Amino acid sequence: MTQQELEMQLRLTLADGRLSKEERRDLGKLFDDLVMQPELLSFARNKAFELARERSRDGQLETDVVIWLERVIQTLDRARMQVQPVASGAWFSPGRDCLEAIIGLIEQARSYIDICVFTLSDDRLTQAVLAAHNKGVGVRVLSDQDKANDRGSDVDYLSRKGVNVLLDTSPYHMHHKFALFDRKWLLNGSFNWTRSASEYNQENLMLTDNDSLVSAYVGEFNRLWQQHRKGVFHAQ
C-alpha cells in the first residue's frame, strides 16, 4: 500500500459525503493491515484532516464531513491501539517517509521519549512532541545552543510549554540526530528535524530494537543530559 493508494481510498469514502458501515468496515480492515507501518497510519490521519479541509466552505465544515472525519479518526485510533513499533526499519528523504515515521513513533510512545537532535524547527514534529508531553509522556529534548537561536527553532517554544529541554552550552556542537522511545526503540540517522530535511535533502533514518544498541544510546543520552544539566534552557 502506497500513500497515493491510501489517499485514494480515503477520497472514495468521502465522495458521497458519508462513511457507510461497509466503508467503515473496509477502512478498519485496511488500517489493521497497516499496523506494522506506523508512517502510513500517521499519513492517513493527516490526510483525513486535509481532505476534510478541502471540503470546507468559508472555513466551516459541513455536518456530514465532520461525521465522516470523526468516524475515520475513530477507525484509525482503534487500529493504532494495536500498533507496536517495528523491530527495525529504514526511511529516506526527500519525501514524507522520515517525517511520518518520526510522528508515528512519537504518537505510539507510552512512557518516555528522549530526543537528541542538532536542531528542531519542523512545526509538524514539534506539535507531535508537545502532544506526547501533554498526554503525560516523559519527554526530554537535548539540542544545540547555537541552533536554538536560529530563526524558526522550536526549542524555546517547547520549553515555554513545559517540555524538559536542555541545551549543549559547550563551545562545540551537539550534532547528534537520534531519539529513544520508551527506552526500547532507537531511531538514528542523518535526518535533521527540519522541513528542508523532508522536502529537499538526501537524508536517512534507521529504527532498531536491538538491546545492545538501545542500551548504548540510553547510556549516552543520560551521560549528555547530566553533563549539560547546568545549561538548562530557560525561556526569556
Side-chain angles (χ1 to χ4, degrees), residues 149-179:
N149 296 321
D150 284 357
R151 182 176 182 181
S153 173
D154 290 330
V155 292
D156 177 42
Y157 170 78
L158 287 173
S159 180
R160 286 188 281 109
K161 290 295 184 178
V163 177
N164 207 358
V165 175
L166 286 182
L167 296 182
D168 184 334
T169 56
S170 75
Y172 309 105
H173 286 304
M174 200 299 299
H175 212 248
H176 286 305
K177 296 108 179 174
F178 71 87

Side-chain angles (χ1 to χ4, degrees), residues 5-20:
E5 292 169 337
L6 187 52
E7 178 180 347
M8 181 60 68
Q9 291 295 320
L10 290 171
R11 286 188 180 277
L12 288 173
T13 66
L14 184 57
D16 59 359
R18 57 191 294 271
L19 187 67
S20 67

Side-chain angles (χ1 to χ4, degrees), residues 10-20 23 55 62-69 71:
L10 290 171
R11 286 188 180 277
L12 288 173
T13 66
L14 184 57
D16 59 359
R18 57 191 294 271
L19 187 67
S20 67
E23 289 173 333
R55 292 284 294 265
E62 296 181 357
T63 301
D64 56 351
V65 177
V66 172
I67 294 173
W68 173 86
L69 181 60
R71 289 177 176 173

Side-chain angles (χ1 to χ4, degrees), residues 198-218:
S198 290
E199 296 174 2
Y200 308 112
N201 297 350
Q202 304 290 333
E203 306 278 5
N204 71 84
L205 282 174
M206 182 183 69
L207 176 71
T208 181
D209 67 348
N210 180 277
D211 287 341
S212 61
L213 292 176
V214 172
S215 294
Y217 275 82
V218 168

Side-chain angles (χ1 to χ4, degrees), residues 116 135 168:
C116 190
K135 72 179 184 182
D168 184 334

Side-chain angles (χ1 to χ4, degrees), residues 29-230:
K29 185 177 184 303
L30 173 61
F31 294 153
D32 287 345
D33 291 341
L34 296 177
V35 295
M36 298 304 289
Q37 295 177 273
E39 70 278 8
L40 283 181
L41 291 180
S42 292
F43 170 81
R45 185 182 186 90
N46 293 336
K47 182 58 63 173
F49 281 100
E50 181 180 318
L51 295 177
R53 288 193 294 270
E54 288 180 5
R55 292 284 294 265
S56 66
R57 295 183 178 178
D58 299 324
Q60 299 296 316
L61 294 180
E62 296 181 357
T63 301
D64 56 351
V65 177
V66 172
I67 294 173
W68 173 86
L69 181 60
E70 288 177 345
R71 289 177 176 173
V72 169
I73 298 305
Q74 288 170 358
T75 306
L76 261 172
D77 286 345
R78 278 198 296 271
R80 294 171 77 91
M81 291 289 289
Q82 308 174 46
V83 175
Q84 290 295 327
V86 294
S88 62
W91 301 272
F92 303 91
S93 68
R96 293 182 60 90
D97 288 353
C98 291
L99 171 70
E100 298 292 351
I102 296 173
I103 291 175
L105 289 162
I106 291 172
E107 291 178 346
Q108 292 163 31
R110 294 292 176 264
S111 301
Y112 305 102
I113 300 175
D114 290 332
I115 299 167
C116 190
V117 289
F118 184 45
T119 184
L120 174 54
S121 60
D122 189 325
D123 293 344
R124 297 164 295 185
L125 295 174
T126 300
Q127 291 305 314
V129 171
L130 182 58
H133 166 75
N134 288 339
K135 72 179 184 182
V137 176
V139 180
R140 296 188 294 179
V141 177
L142 179 60
S143 191
D144 187 79
Q145 179 174 248
D146 290 346
K147 298 304 292 182
N149 296 321
D150 284 357
R151 182 176 182 181
S153 173
D154 290 330
V155 292
D156 177 42
Y157 170 78
L158 287 173
S159 180
R160 286 188 281 109
K161 290 295 184 178
V163 177
N164 207 358
V165 175
L166 286 182
L167 296 182
D168 184 334
T169 56
S170 75
Y172 309 105
H173 286 304
M174 200 299 299
H175 212 248
H176 286 305
K177 296 108 179 174
F178 71 87
L180 295 151
F181 302 92
D182 291 331
R183 296 169 189 163
K184 296 178 180 179
W185 292 276
L186 163 68
L187 188 70
N188 192 24
S190 69
F191 188 84
N192 276 308
W193 291 30
T194 64
R195 279 188 176 266
S196 60
S198 290
E199 296 174 2
Y200 308 112
N201 297 350
Q202 304 290 333
E203 306 278 5
N204 71 84
L205 282 174
M206 182 183 69
L207 176 71
T208 181
D209 67 348
N210 180 277
D211 287 341
S212 61
L213 292 176
V214 172
S215 294
Y217 275 82
V218 168
E220 179 64 6
F221 185 94
N222 287 334
R223 185 189 71 80
L224 291 171
W225 190 262
Q226 292 301 320
Q227 177 178 316
H228 297 292
R229 182 173 291 279
K230 293 182 179 181

